[in-house]
Amino acid sequence: MQQYDEEVEQIVIGSLIQNPKVFPEVSEIVKGEDFSEKNRLLFEAIAELTDQNENYDELILASYLKEKGLLDKIGGRSYV
């Protein structure tokens, strides 16, 4: 069973939200499966938005997750 460090995961996700331009570099090292479920969902949403050349922030990310029916799975807007 894989061990997760939620604090480290939150730091990575927070860094990607604060500086979206680093996602391509980070995604060469870190993959969705490296995260616990809710942070994996966030990471994958960031990856999808990046692939679509969409700018994102906390609000856009939360809206995107809500549209996909995933916002409640991560704990709501307050978690983003």
Side-chain angles (χ1 to χ4, degrees), residues 10-27:
Q10 290 172 344
I11 290 168
V12 171
I13 296 294
S15 296
L16 292 172
I17 292 170
Q18 294 296 316
N19 190 2
K21 292 179 182 179
V22 301
F23 182 81
E25 187 176 339
V26 171
S27 67

Side-chain angles (χ1 to χ4, degrees), residues 2-3 6-7 9 15 18 30 32 34-35 38 41 48-49 51 56 58-59 63-64 68 71 75 78 80:
Q2 185 169 353
Q3 298 270 333
E6 193 154 332
E7 185 176 355
E9 292 178 16
S15 296
Q18 294 296 316
V30 180
D34 295 327
F35 293 92
K38 62 185 174 181
L41 293 171
E48 290 169 14
L49 290 168
D51 286 346
Y56 61 85
E58 296 93 340
L59 296 174
S63 293
Y64 184 77
K68 297 186 83 65
L71 188 59
S78 62
V80 177

Side-chain angles (χ1 to χ4, degrees), residues 13-77:
I13 296 294
S15 296
L16 292 172
I17 292 170
Q18 294 296 316
N19 190 2
K21 292 179 182 179
V22 301
F23 182 81
E25 187 176 339
V26 171
S27 67
E28 290 179 14
I29 301 165
V30 180
K31 305 294 180 208
E33 62 264 13
D34 295 327
F35 293 92
S36 59
E37 183 180 5
K38 62 185 174 181
N39 289 320
R40 178 182 52 79
L41 293 171
L42 279 168
F43 184 85
E44 290 173 353
I46 290 169
E48 290 169 14
L49 290 168
T50 300
D51 286 346
Q52 297 170 16
N53 292 318
E54 295 287 336
N55 293 324
Y56 61 85
D57 59 16
E58 296 93 340
L59 296 174
I60 292 170
L61 191 54
S63 293
Y64 184 77
L65 289 164
K66 184 176 181 181
E67 287 174 17
K68 297 186 83 65
L70 299 172
L71 188 59
D72 289 337
K73 284 188 173 187
I74 65 159
R77 284 188 191 275

